[in-house]
């Protein structure tokens, strides 16, 4: 079974500063993918970034980067130059890859990020 | 285009009503998903369709009935719901090849009275 742990309480960051959102995971499967999603108060889940278990380099997408430490089973999201629009709930998620699209996406409980002007 | 649309945005229904939620995507994805999400909780998977066939049912009560009429559309038929079924219902779609990132719609906020 897969497990995602997000333990940080609500996070606060000053506008234009960087922030790291923590995520640890557990799986016995060697082939898996890690995902981060953003959910504003409007409700839509927005896909941010993906990291595959065999990827050698950390994933980056614009202001988002994923600090992937495989040995520690962590996949922290780094948001650089925070903007007011980054205020939202952030979910880390994982799926194993050996059953294709039918495998379940396992979510962490989420972290609320508030950006202060 | 990574858009998934859902209608209606809001729905209020009584426990004896029958209603349907609709989801549409035009990204050529052949996997589609229904999730239920309670406030401040992560989404919970309900159903997965792969190539228009139901591949996963997460032991969802029969008062929820999914349907995938074609590769772009996904419906969720609701009948005799309970107040505890009030939640945000999210639809998502993905490719059927790696990495299977799912793209979500804006959701339908359902209130059962």
């Amino acid at each position: 079974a897969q497990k995602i742990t997000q333990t940080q309480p609500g996070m606060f960051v000053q506008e234009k500063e960087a922030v790291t959102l923590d995520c640890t995971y557990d799986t016995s499967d060697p082939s898996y993918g890690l995902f981060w999603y953003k959910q504003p108060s409007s409700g839509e889940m927005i896909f941010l970034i993906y990291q595959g278990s065999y990827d050698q380099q950390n994933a980056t997408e614009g202001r988002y980067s994923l600090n992937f430490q495989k040995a520690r089973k962590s996949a922290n999201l780094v948001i650089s130059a925070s903007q007011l629009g980054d205020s939202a709930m952030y979910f880390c998620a994982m799926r194993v890859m050996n059953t294709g699209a039918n495998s379940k996406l396992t979510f962490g409980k989420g972290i609320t990020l508030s950006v202060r002007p | 285009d990574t858009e998934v649309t859902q209608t209606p945005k809001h729905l209020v229904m009584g426990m004896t009503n029958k209603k349907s939620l609709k989801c549409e995507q035009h990204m050529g994805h052949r996997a589609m998903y229904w999730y239920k999400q309670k406030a401040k909780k992560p989404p919970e998977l309900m159903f997965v369709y792969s190539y228009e066939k139901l591949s996963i049912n997460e032991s969802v009560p029969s008062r929820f009935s999914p349907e995938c009429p074609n590769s772009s559309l996904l419906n969720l038929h609701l009948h005799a719901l309970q107040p505890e079924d009030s939640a945000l219902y999210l639809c998502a779609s993905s490719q059927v090849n790696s990495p299977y990132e799912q793209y979500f719609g804006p959701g339908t906020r359902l209130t059962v009275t």
Side-chain angles (χ1 to χ4, degrees):
Chain A
Q2 295 78 45
K3 185 178 179 182
I4 293 283
T5 303
Q6 296 180 265
T7 58
Q8 289 168 304
M11 293 285 289
F12 294 86
V13 65
Q14 206 67 32
E15 195 178 7
K16 299 181 184 177
E17 292 185 350
V19 63
T20 298
L21 306 182
D22 295 341
C23 172
T24 59
Y25 62 91
D26 192 25
T27 181
S28 57
D29 201 292
S31 179
Y32 53 88
L34 296 155
F35 305 82
W36 276 91
Y37 286 87
K38 170 186 177 182
Q39 188 174 39
S41 57
S42 58
E44 183 175 358
M45 295 279 285
I46 302 167
F47 167 68
L48 296 178
I49 196 166
Y50 161 80
Q51 180 84 43
S53 59
Y54 294 120
D55 292 344
Q56 295 296 310
Q57 293 189 324
N58 288 342
T60 60
E61 288 287 348
R63 294 186 300 111
Y64 304 107
S65 60
L66 201 151
N67 184 0
F68 181 46
Q69 298 188 38
K70 195 170 182 177
R72 298 178 62 183
K73 293 190 174 180
S74 73
N76 299 339
L77 177 70
V78 180
I79 305 174
S80 63
S82 297
Q83 302 172 356
L84 296 177
D86 293 335
S87 295
M89 179 162 278
Y90 289 79
F91 290 98
C92 180
M94 178 175 68
R95 71 188 305 165
V96 296
M97 296 304 193
N98 59 1
T99 56
N102 292 322
S103 62
K104 186 175 176 178
L105 193 60
T106 300
F107 286 90
K109 68 176 185 178
I111 302 168
T112 300
L113 175 66
S114 299
V115 181
R116 292 171 166 152
Chain B
D1 184 8
T2 56
E3 187 179 59
V4 177
T5 59
Q6 289 187 245
T7 55
K9 289 191 186 302
H10 301 273
L11 178 62
V12 179
M13 61 184 290
M15 290 189 284
T16 59
N17 291 158
K18 285 185 181 181
K19 296 286 185 183
S20 296
L21 309 184
K22 296 185 184 301
C23 173
E24 188 168 6
Q25 58 89 15
H26 294 288
M27 294 178 280
H29 292 168
R30 300 303 295 275
M32 297 187 76
Y33 311 79
W34 279 116
Y35 288 86
K36 172 184 177 181
Q37 187 180 26
K38 292 283 203 178
K40 301 197 183 301
K41 297 289 187 183
E44 300 172 13
L45 182 66
M46 300 175 72
F47 302 103
V48 179
Y49 273 83
S50 181
Y51 294 102
E52 295 85 68
K53 293 191 186 310
L54 182 65
S55 57
I56 295 179
N57 177 340
E58 289 283 304
S59 302
V60 179
S62 60
R63 57 186 185 268
F64 295 91
S65 176
E67 178 196 20
C68 190
N70 61 54
S71 60
S72 300
L73 292 173
L74 186 66
N75 298 322
L76 186 62
H77 303 296
L78 314 173
H79 174 54
L81 294 193
Q82 303 297 309
E84 59 265 29
D85 296 322
S86 297
L88 178 68
Y89 288 84
L90 292 162
C91 171
S93 69
S94 77
Q95 296 178 345
V96 292
N97 52 300
S98 181
Y100 318 109
E101 70 266 24
Q102 294 181 17
Y103 293 92
F104 285 78
T108 294
R109 291 193 185 275
L110 173 67
T111 303
V112 181
T113 61

